[in-house]
Amino acid sequence: MKHSSAQWLSSQLALFTGVLFALLLLMAIVWMSWRGHQQVVEQDLRQQELYARVIEDHASRSFDAVAVVQNSLAETVLLQDSQADIPHLSRQLTQALGSVPFVRSIAVLDAQGRVLVSSAAGDVQRQVNLSLLGPRPARGQSLLGPLIRGRSLADFELGASQAGLRSGINSLPMLYGFALAGGQPMLVVALINPDALVNFQRQVIGDNPLSILVTSYTGLLLTSTVDMVEAPGLSLAHHSLFSERQVAREHGSYREHSNLGEETLVAFRASRAWPLVVLVEQAQAASTQRWLARARPVLVTGLVVVFLLLGMAVVLYRSLRARERSRVLFDRARDQVVRSERELSVLLRSLQELIFRTDASGVVTYVNARWAALLGAQAHQALGRSVLDVLVPERPTDRTTLFALDHLDGVRHCRASTVGADGRTRHFELAVVPLLVDGRITAFAGSAVDITELLETQRQLQMQLSLIGLMLEISPEPTSMADEMGRLVMVNKAWEQFKGLDRGQVIGKRFADFLPVNEAQLHEHSEAQLVRQGGGGPF
């Protein structure tokens, strides 16, 4: 039981070990996958920070260039002798516009919003609604206005309707304030094309699934790579960057959790020179897909190895279990054989016969306990000797026929004798049976029945019968003996003389065969009465 329990534990241990290794490998794959995913996300965040830096630098330089042009034009206006000379500066404005190709038009306006000179001739002398362009800058200051729908200053003329303007065509006004020598306040207004900034942003990010947003410090949208149709007036104040972080840092990155359960990677950078913030966003699912495409071969290979380990563990477990079941069956069979051998040994010890086993040549390999009782020390001496040297056959021919290998079946008999432990000659009836393996005799099993007492009894009985026969022979009374069939088996001398018949003539015959009918019937009637009643009687 302990052995089978240990075997059971070995199979369980094999299964547990295999499953444990598979689980450890699976945990390692999960950890490496999670770590690889985190590295991809961190790499994307760093890349987004780099994009934010490049785009913020480009936007700041672009606005700086516009501010320089505006300052230069303001100085040119101040060099004029009178305000009446300002409309003649259109050529200078057109030349200045060439240095800032992302600006649609540039114009000089008075304090009431009247266009004095413009790079777009159609805007001159128009009265512009300055409230649409944003707050007025102080003298010598450039301010960036909100994103507004429209292409030129004519679209912002005082009293003009904004409803008819084409959606998707937007401008980003930048105002520069200065004053003439007489103290009259003036404005240099540049209408920046936000699509030009967006085109540069799209070139920077390429095919990456990123969204670029440029906003003011308060979250007012300036440019976007996603959709600019509804961009004018759109506020991102609800964005986590403004609602939670309040742009506390100049730049950084973080993960944003939406209410829908989606995660977004956000990198931002605020400009030092201008009131704008660049946001670079990407759905974390895009990072996951990119990581999955890169890690899929490793994951598939790892999972295959895990399943192989599990399969090997199951196969090993089943193999060990089958071996254990075989071992249990073998142990049971062995125990049964041991019990059978023990019972057989007890049975052989209880037998009154001599039991022995020999090899193919008749050399004794096993004897039972009865040998020691009958033969004494010769029982031990018989092992390793020919059984015919211990039990000597009465006929010399039996020495060759008893253990002959030329015929394979049948029981072989002979009589043998030996001197017993008491010094008497003992006689045995031997019976030998060949044991076959693959059709070849490999050993013999035999028994020897002690018939010494039987022979002695037969001898004494024979003597008694001879004595009785002699007494019957010399008896003066005619005497005969018949078998159950009525045939004579013996008659004495007196009977021969009485009947006048020789015994050779009547032995084996019935009375009716040689006597007259009446006399024969009398004999048969008397014999029948003897058979019924027993005893004897004269007739």
Side-chain angles (χ1 to χ4, degrees):
M1 183 64 70
K2 291 182 178 179
H3 181 74
S4 61
S5 177
Q7 292 287 334
W8 181 84
L9 287 177
S10 66
S11 64
Q12 296 295 318
L13 181 61
L15 180 62
F16 174 76
T17 303
V19 173
L20 178 61
F21 275 116
L23 289 177
L24 289 177
L25 179 59
L26 183 61
M27 291 175 62
I29 293 174
V30 171
W31 182 85
M32 291 176 62
S33 302
W34 176 82
R35 184 58 184 165
H37 182 264
Q38 294 299 109
Q39 289 177 350
V40 170
V41 170
E42 292 174 1
Q43 180 181 358
D44 287 349
L45 285 173
R46 289 193 296 269
Q47 187 177 25
Q48 289 178 226
E49 290 180 4
L50 179 61
Y51 285 145
R53 179 178 179 180
V54 172
I55 292 172
E56 181 275 327
D57 181 73
H58 174 264
S60 296
R61 289 178 180 273
S62 298
F63 295 152
D64 287 342
V66 175
V68 170
V69 170
Q70 287 178 322
N71 183 53
S72 176
L73 290 176
E75 291 179 355
T76 301
V77 171
L78 292 176
L79 293 176
Q80 303 304 312
D81 296 333
S82 65
Q83 187 173 353
D85 297 329
I86 295 178
H88 302 291
L89 298 177
S90 59
R91 184 169 176 270
Q92 285 84 345
L93 266 66
T94 303
Q95 292 177 350
L97 194 62
S99 61
V100 282
F102 51 89
V103 175
R104 287 198 176 103
S105 65
I106 189 168
V108 178
L109 284 71
D110 60 14
Q112 288 73 34
R114 187 167 57 88
V115 180
L116 302 179
V117 63
S118 173
S119 60
D123 294 339
V124 178
Q125 297 302 320
R126 292 181 180 274
Q127 188 78 21
V128 177
N129 186 357
L130 294 179
S131 62
L132 298 177
L133 304 182
R136 294 191 181 188
R139 183 180 299 180
Q141 181 186 17
S142 293
L143 287 181
L144 190 62
L147 183 68
I148 53 178
R149 181 175 299 173
R151 184 179 184 87
S152 64
L153 290 176
D155 296 331
F156 314 124
E157 188 174 4
L158 189 66
S161 174
Q162 298 290 314
L165 297 179
R166 181 181 174 184
S167 61
I169 304 299
N170 305 314
S171 297
L172 194 60
M174 179 179 289
L175 285 67
Y176 178 79
F178 70 100
L180 297 176
Q184 297 91 338
M186 304 291 287
L187 292 172
V188 179
V189 178
L191 294 181
I192 300 174
N193 181 14
D195 293 335
L197 301 178
V198 170
N199 290 337
F200 173 80
Q201 296 166 6
R202 289 173 176 168
Q203 290 177 0
V204 170
I205 63 176
D207 297 331
N208 294 319
L210 300 174
S211 300
I212 308 298
L213 304 173
V214 179
T215 69
S216 65
Y217 281 164
T218 59
L220 195 63
L221 183 62
L222 302 179
T223 66
S224 172
T225 59
V226 180
D227 186 9
M228 291 291 288
V229 175
E230 302 296 334
L234 183 63
S235 176
L236 299 181
H238 62 280
H239 195 281
S240 59
L241 178 66
F242 304 100
S243 63
E244 299 177 8
R245 302 178 183 272
Q246 303 293 331
V247 200
R249 295 176 293 168
E250 181 181 345
H251 60 85
S253 60
Y254 63 94
R255 302 183 190 183
E256 180 183 16
H257 299 273
S258 67
N259 296 330
L260 300 178
E262 299 178 353
E263 291 192 356
T264 305
L265 306 181
V266 180
F268 65 93
R269 190 174 187 90
S271 174
R272 295 181 179 179
W274 296 94
L276 59 89
V277 180
V278 177
L279 290 88
V280 181
E281 296 182 345
Q282 173 184 262
Q284 186 170 315
S287 300
T288 303
Q289 292 179 355
R290 187 164 53 256
W291 161 80
L292 186 60
R294 189 184 308 172
R296 183 178 287 109
V298 178
L299 292 176
V300 171
T301 303
L303 291 177
V304 168
V305 173
V306 169
F307 283 113
L308 283 177
L309 281 176
L310 289 175
M312 291 174 61
V314 172
V315 170
L316 181 59
Y317 169 76
R318 296 181 64 179
S319 176
L320 289 176
R321 288 294 295 164
R323 184 187 302 177
E324 291 161 10
R325 286 192 292 268
S326 300
R327 183 67 181 179
V328 170
L329 294 177
F330 173 77
D331 291 342
R332 290 177 180 174
R334 184 182 60 183
D335 294 340
Q336 186 175 0
V337 169
V338 170
R339 288 194 301 270
S340 299
E341 290 181 350
R342 187 179 299 113
E343 294 172 357
L344 180 60
S345 177
V346 174
L347 178 61
L348 292 177
R349 283 198 301 267
S350 65
L351 288 177
Q352 298 301 311
E353 300 177 1
L354 300 182
I355 305 298
F356 61 91
R357 179 188 175 102
T358 70
D359 59 12
S361 61
V363 176
V364 178
T365 57
Y366 168 79
V367 293
N368 66 341
R370 185 62 178 168
W371 284 66
L374 293 179
L375 304 180
Q378 294 187 38
H380 300 287
Q381 297 172 359
L383 294 175
R385 296 173 57 192
S386 174
V387 69
L388 300 181
D389 293 338
V390 181
L391 302 176
V392 181
E394 294 180 355
R395 295 179 301 180
T397 56
D398 291 336
R399 299 185 67 91
T400 58
T401 59
L402 195 62
F403 295 104
L405 303 178
D406 53 352
H407 57 281
L408 305 180
D409 54 357
V411 182
R412 308 173 187 185
H413 298 275
C414 77
R415 283 191 178 184
S417 61
T418 188
V419 178
D422 54 359
R424 293 173 55 194
T425 299
R426 308 193 72 85
H427 300 273
F428 297 91
E429 184 74 30
L430 268 67
V432 176
V433 179
L435 302 178
L436 304 179
V437 176
D438 298 330
R440 184 173 56 88
I441 296 177
T442 59
F444 290 91
S447 63
V449 180
D450 187 0
I451 60 174
T452 304
E453 303 297 335
L454 176 61
L455 293 178
E456 182 65 24
T457 302
Q458 289 179 348
R459 186 183 61 82
Q460 293 177 2
L461 180 59
Q462 187 62 39
M463 290 176 61
Q464 292 178 3
L465 290 175
S466 299
L467 178 60
I468 293 172
L470 181 59
M471 292 176 65
L472 290 174
E473 184 67 23
I474 64 175
S475 174
E477 293 183 0
T479 304
S480 65
M481 293 180 61
D483 59 14
E484 66 274 7
M485 301 298 296
R487 293 187 295 264
L488 292 175
V489 296
M490 188 276 294
V491 294
N492 65 352
K493 190 67 175 176
W495 191 91
E496 289 178 320
Q497 295 174 354
F498 177 71
K499 294 297 184 180
L501 297 173
D502 187 70
R503 67 181 65 188
Q505 298 175 345
V506 298
I507 296 299
K509 295 181 178 181
R510 300 169 61 88
F511 288 108
D513 296 335
F514 57 85
L515 293 177
V517 176
N518 295 334
E519 188 176 352
Q521 291 179 350
L522 179 61
H523 279 283
E524 290 178 356
H525 176 73
S526 299
E527 288 178 356
Q529 185 177 2
L530 288 174
V531 171
R532 291 193 303 269
Q533 299 177 358
F539 57 88

